[in-house]
Amino acid sequence: MPGFENHDHHVCVKDGVEAAVTHCKDNGLQLTPVRKRVLEILLERQTPLGAYDILDILSKEGYGSQPPVAYRALDFLVKNRFAHKIERLNAFIACSQMGKSHAPIFMICNSCEAVAEAHADPENSQILALANESGFSVDQLVAEVTGTCPECQ
């Protein structure tokens, strides 16, 4: 999801799952069927989804209907940077730069709530520089910017 422009969505789903499978194999992580399916759902929908929206899909597909099913999978995906939580929307979205070091910047449309992920180089971030100057140690840098997407303008 490189901004708000259109792209070949089937390729990003395939590539995203392959990147996660490879990363998990290389790092001794378990990409269980539920975790993989949650990632696929996020990649397929290409829009922020709440945990209960995901749980509803999982339940209909026979993966279970208890909230921990979705939350555990989402925790794993976020922790391993396969997905991000959009705090403003209390929703989750697949990462468009899986396996790469980046500082995600989420552009959130106030009208339609579409979200696009842009990237900042974490090594050259002005925010990190300001944090370092003040002696603050940054664990994670995620920015959420609100405005109006090209479609709603």
Side-chain angles (χ1 to χ4, degrees), residues 95-106:
C95 179
S96 66
Q97 294 288 308
M98 285 185 219
K100 297 180 183 174
S101 177
H102 67 288
I105 302 168
F106 295 103

Side-chain angles (χ1 to χ4, degrees), residues 1 39 42-43 47 82-84 92-96 98 106 117:
M1 181 177 42
L39 179 59
L42 292 173
L43 288 164
T47 186
F82 302 134
H84 299 288
F92 299 85
I93 195 163
C95 179
S96 66
M98 285 185 219
F106 295 103
E117 181 179 348

Side-chain angles (χ1 to χ4, degrees), residues 5-103:
E5 67 269 4
N6 290 323
H7 64 282
D8 185 345
H9 189 56
H10 296 295
V11 171
C12 72
V13 172
K14 179 180 157 290
D15 290 351
V17 172
E18 286 178 4
V21 168
T22 300
H23 179 82
C24 287
K25 281 183 184 175
D26 292 348
N27 292 283
L29 301 170
Q30 292 255 332
L31 188 63
T32 65
V34 173
R35 291 171 176 172
K36 183 178 178 186
R37 182 62 190 131
V38 171
L39 179 59
E40 289 169 344
I41 291 166
L42 292 173
L43 288 164
E44 290 164 0
R45 300 299 166 103
Q46 200 176 8
T47 186
L49 293 172
Y52 281 91
D53 298 322
I54 294 166
L55 183 61
D56 186 47
I57 295 166
L58 291 174
S59 178
K60 289 175 183 172
E61 295 179 359
Y63 285 97
S65 60
Q66 297 301 312
V69 171
Y71 281 110
R72 286 182 187 137
L74 288 165
D75 286 345
F76 174 84
L77 295 175
V78 170
K79 178 182 177 186
N80 290 287
R81 299 185 177 157
F82 302 134
H84 299 288
K85 183 172 184 185
I86 308 294
E87 295 293 338
R88 183 178 187 282
L89 302 176
N90 193 27
F92 299 85
I93 195 163
C95 179
S96 66
Q97 294 288 308
M98 285 185 219
K100 297 180 183 174
S101 177
H102 67 288

